[in-house]
Amino acid sequence: MLLIPCPWCGNRDEVEFRYGGQAQVPYPVDPTSLDDAAWADYLFVRDNHCGSYAERWVHADGCRRWFDVVRDTATNEFAP
Amino acid sequence: MRSRHSRTPDGTAPRAERLPDPPARLWRSAEPGRSYDVVIVGAGGHGLATAYYLAAEHGIRDVAVLERGWLAGGNMARNTTIIRSNYLLDESAALYGHALDLWERWPAELDYDFLLSQRGVLNLVHTEQEVRDARRRAFANGLNGIDAEFVGPDEVAALCPILDVSPDRRYPVLGATWQARAGIAKHDHVAWALATRASELGVDLIEQCEVTGFVTDGERVTGVRTSRGDIAAGRVGLAAAGRTSELTDILGWRIPLQSHPLQALVSELLEPVHPCVVMSNHVHVYCSQAHKGELVLGAGIDSYNGYGQRGSVQVIERQLAAALELFPIFARAHVIRTWAGVVDVTPDASPIIGPTPFEGLYVNCGWGTGGFKATPAAGRVFAHTVATGSPHPLAEPYGWERFRTGALIDEHGAAAVAH
Ligand SMILES: Cc1cc2nc3c(=O)[nH]c(=O)nc-3n(C[C@H](O)[C@H](O)[C@H](O)COP(=O)(O)OP(=O)(O)OC[C@H]3O[C@@H](n4cnc5c(N)ncnc54)[C@H](O)[C@@H]3O)c2cc1C
Ligand SMILES: [Zn+2]
């Protein structure tokens, strides 16, 4: 069970959150110019490494806000 | 229908099926050579089956299987051993159906009794929509030659008498699909069987040898870098399950995979009470009884990416609550052990098998939560792909390009339950 640091509520139990996957994946600036390969990358491909990972969570059963955190995917430790 | 595990006429419980004897040294433990025709990365079930088929069907015996840990200590050692082929889509039915055919042939072919137990799988449904979906899947299975039928609550009760099918439950059992040829197999023994036969055919099985990179010549992969030195290879096949993107990242190739923790647990040993495999997508638990007597329970993945081989407690809590909803008789059973694996999930919940953008490099990954059942077919089609350089017909739809063409094989939700 993760203890997730909500920037507004502090450390809260994982059951209060929903996961949003990799953080900082911007919507394409000029969507109409994307070819199939670029669309596939945007839609389907996310980083998936072992180690430090920037990701999104929403505090669904709390303040209901989205935020980014950095977690180590091997140790589950959150970066300060 | 009578339960296979019902008591004998004199009232005593039948003995659990006898396990095969623990193996002595079954395969050669090899030192890494300087070069091989084929190097397979990962000695899970898939890597071992691939090596076996490369040697047995393609005559390629100069093969090494490199394993970072111990042989078959990854997801192969951690899964809940459920085998079934009642998938909805044609591509899946063909692949998993082939796997089930091979499972039935394997004990004789590999000359090894790994306790394939075709005790049948019930996929329960608890809502009207699920009833429609299950019927649809059973009809689709029928059209694809897969033995599956829709059964009502009374038949469910007859197949698995310990299930509570009373209509006043919070999630009443409205029916199920039943696949009689489905079941379980003793996973470790499957790995040992494959290792034994592959080793006899000349394959080098090398443990404690982590692949840390690739030797390349332009866009061609010509070998692997390992914790025990470089090894040249005519062809390299990745069968590294949850850690695949760690390897493909090195090449700068981003592949649509996300690795998640997936947990399972077992109870103490109990007398045989549970005659088949029961899965429920809706309350999300699945359960069978191991040959030795433990109840084996699984549920879904943890939502977040993880390589830690441990999952979250709330998943276990929910899965136990779901199990009790279905099987009130388990209320006093104790949990003895929980563990987790790292499973690689694709956006359409189907595996990725085939050539890669790099010449000489082939990939078999993305089996997510359900690749054990596919082991024979995965090995066979991947061996074909590596040996011939082009996909086996059954693997053809599973190339990574499908995420660009849009020809997804979307088994998310279409399949009966995660595994
Ligand atoms: C809890 C749980 C329950 C499951 N239940 C079922 C089920 O009931 N039915 C079902 O069909 N499937 C199930 N699965 C899924 C199934 O276990 C996997 O899909 C399947 O094992 C994947 O193929 P594999 O056996 O080759 O993977 P693995 O056994 O994980 O093999 C991959 C191997 O590669 C090695 N490796 C990784 N990176 C490197 C490297 N860089 N160098 C060298 N070696 C490396 C790993 O150590 C590992 O041994 C379950 C999985 C889990 C975790
Ligand atoms: Zn909050």
Side-chain angles (χ1 to χ4, degrees), chain B residues 281-321:
Chain B
N281 215 358
H282 196 69
V283 301
H284 216 154
V285 68
Y286 61 91
C287 182
S288 65
Q289 189 166 16
H291 294 88
K292 221 175 12 167
E294 311 104 316
L295 299 170
V296 183
L297 277 78
I301 55 171
D302 279 61
S303 63
Y304 51 83
N305 296 30
Y307 285 86
Q309 290 191 331
R310 59 182 297 183
S312 295
V313 182
Q314 80 269 10
V315 175
I316 296 173
E317 280 178 344
R318 287 188 199 130
Q319 109 191 42
L320 290 177

Side-chain angles (χ1 to χ4, degrees), chain A residues 1 14 47-48 50 71 73, chain B residues 245 254 305 307 312 314:
Chain A
M1 180 114 56
E14 181 191 335
D47 290 348
N48 184 39
C50 179
R71 181 178 56 93
T73 57
Chain B
S245 24
R254 293 179 86 222
N305 296 30
Y307 285 86
S312 295
Q314 80 269 10

Side-chain angles (χ1 to χ4, degrees), chain B residues 24-71:
Chain B
R25 206 67 207 149
L26 288 179
W27 57 87
R28 283 179 304 114
S29 201
E31 290 299 309
R34 299 280 304 280
S35 87
Y36 292 92
D37 288 345
V38 176
V39 163
I40 301 293
V41 183
H46 290 198
L48 292 170
T50 304
Y52 165 70
Y53 279 117
L54 280 171
E57 283 195 340
H58 300 277
I60 303 177
R61 298 182 173 199
D62 185 29
V63 175
V65 184
L66 309 183
E67 169 57 49
R68 70 193 284 271
W70 65 95
L71 186 124

